[in-house]
Amino acid sequence: MSTVIVLTPVIIASWPTILAAVTGAATALGLVVKETVKQDIKQQQAVEQSVEIELSNSEVLAQNLASGKEVVVAKGDIEIKVGRDERGRCTVCAKGKGHTKAELKQIAEEFSRKMTQCFVYNRVATELKSKGFQMVNEEVMDDQSIRINVRRWVD
Amino acid sequence: MAQHEVEITISKTGEVKVHIKGVKGRACLEYAEWLSNIVGKVKDQKLTSEYYEPEVKSRINLHQQLNDGQ
């Protein structure tokens, strides 16, 4: 053994990269990508509860994201919108009829965790491949973590 | 030729644990720095016994490849 490091993810990416993570998270959690829309808060119905959370350590690179653009994923009566706030942070908003704010917060947090995991996986896998690492093993563990083993030969 | 192995565990919250194997001396720190630049911030780092073994002169050259790839 030589070193073990623990890293806290920071999400700084363009909108297409964020979108790939959103799609991955949606697929993993059984949601479908409904639409990529411009934000229109006025259309939200008053009877629906909604909870918005902000991903800490996140930044969507502004040059690739038109103001107010967002993606919507859905499952049943739950809708999750992922977008970018005015400060450039990535936001996840869950809404749905018949759900309490606490339930929606839990749903939004679960989605943001899965999205972060997908983002990190995509980024790490791409970088490892570009540096000539060979995949030895990849598996999803019982605790839903993803374990990747790679190797590389050097002169 | 030396074999370098990396075991990466991405938790369900996105936190990443990296175990770099087979890399002796300061060379393993180059891997650590490279991966921390990809993922985010270093929360914790432990050097293991292999770090203190004599370094094999191997060309990791991560930064060169990084620049070439851009």
Side-chain angles (χ1 to χ4, degrees):
Chain A
M1 293 188 291
S2 47
T3 189
V4 176
I5 54 173
V6 178
L7 303 165
T8 304
V10 176
I11 298 177
I12 300 176
S14 62
W15 182 245
T17 308
I18 298 283
L19 205 54
V22 171
T23 306
T27 304
L29 295 173
L31 295 112
V32 291
V33 178
K34 199 174 168 188
E35 53 188 335
T36 304
V37 294
K38 286 227 169 193
Q39 191 171 16
D40 189 358
I41 295 170
K42 289 175 186 172
Q43 287 182 354
Q44 289 182 4
Q45 294 177 9
V47 292
E48 287 180 323
Q49 293 271 23
S50 70
V51 171
E52 183 173 289
I53 62 170
E54 189 179 77
L55 266 70
S56 57
N57 297 323
S58 72
E59 184 182 333
V60 181
L61 297 180
Q63 66 265 28
N64 291 313
L65 179 58
S67 177
K69 198 173 181 181
E70 61 187 16
V71 60
V72 180
V73 296
K75 183 183 182 182
D77 58 353
I78 299 286
E79 254 189 25
I80 299 173
K81 287 183 186 179
V82 181
R84 173 179 176 267
D85 70 10
E86 291 161 356
R87 292 180 298 162
R89 294 279 183 90
C90 191
T91 58
V92 176
C93 178
K95 69 173 185 174
K97 292 175 186 171
H99 295 276
T100 65
K101 288 218 174 223
E103 288 171 338
L104 292 170
K105 188 180 179 197
Q106 192 178 2
I107 290 165
E109 286 174 345
E110 184 189 9
F111 187 82
S112 65
R113 282 195 295 270
K114 182 56 79 175
M115 187 182 134
T116 302
Q117 188 190 40
C118 288
F119 174 84
V120 171
Y121 173 83
N122 290 344
R123 186 151 198 178
V124 167
T126 302
E127 289 290 334
L128 289 171
K129 192 177 177 184
S130 73
K131 298 297 174 292
F133 280 94
Q134 294 175 320
M135 189 72 73
V136 176
N137 188 37
E138 179 183 312
E139 58 186 325
V140 178
M141 312 304 287
D142 290 340
D143 63 357
Q144 297 304 306
S145 62
I146 302 169
R147 183 173 293 171
I148 304 167
N149 288 86
V150 292
R151 83 162 61 107
R152 179 176 191 251
W153 293 91
V154 294
D155 295 334
Chain B
M1 295 281 278
Q3 179 180 276
H4 293 175
E5 280 189 54
V6 184
E7 182 181 284
I8 298 168
T9 306
I10 307 168
S11 78
K12 69 176 185 180
T13 63
E15 188 171 88
V16 179
K17 183 178 178 184
V18 181
H19 187 173
I20 300 160
K21 306 172 187 176
V23 188
K24 296 176 174 62
R26 294 185 60 81
C28 73
L29 295 182
E30 289 186 40
Y31 278 107
E33 186 186 352
W34 170 61
L35 284 161
S36 64
N37 286 336
I38 293 168
V39 176
K41 303 172 186 172
V42 177
K43 185 179 174 185
D44 188 30
Q45 180 163 5
K46 288 175 185 158
L47 298 172
T48 57
S49 57
E50 199 169 13
Y51 173 81
Y52 299 99
E53 292 177 18
E55 187 172 3
V56 176
K57 293 289 181 187
S58 57
R59 292 182 293 168
I60 294 178
N61 208 14
L62 286 167
H63 297 293
Q64 182 65 48
Q65 290 187 30
L66 195 64
N67 292 333
D68 290 348
Q70 289 178 346

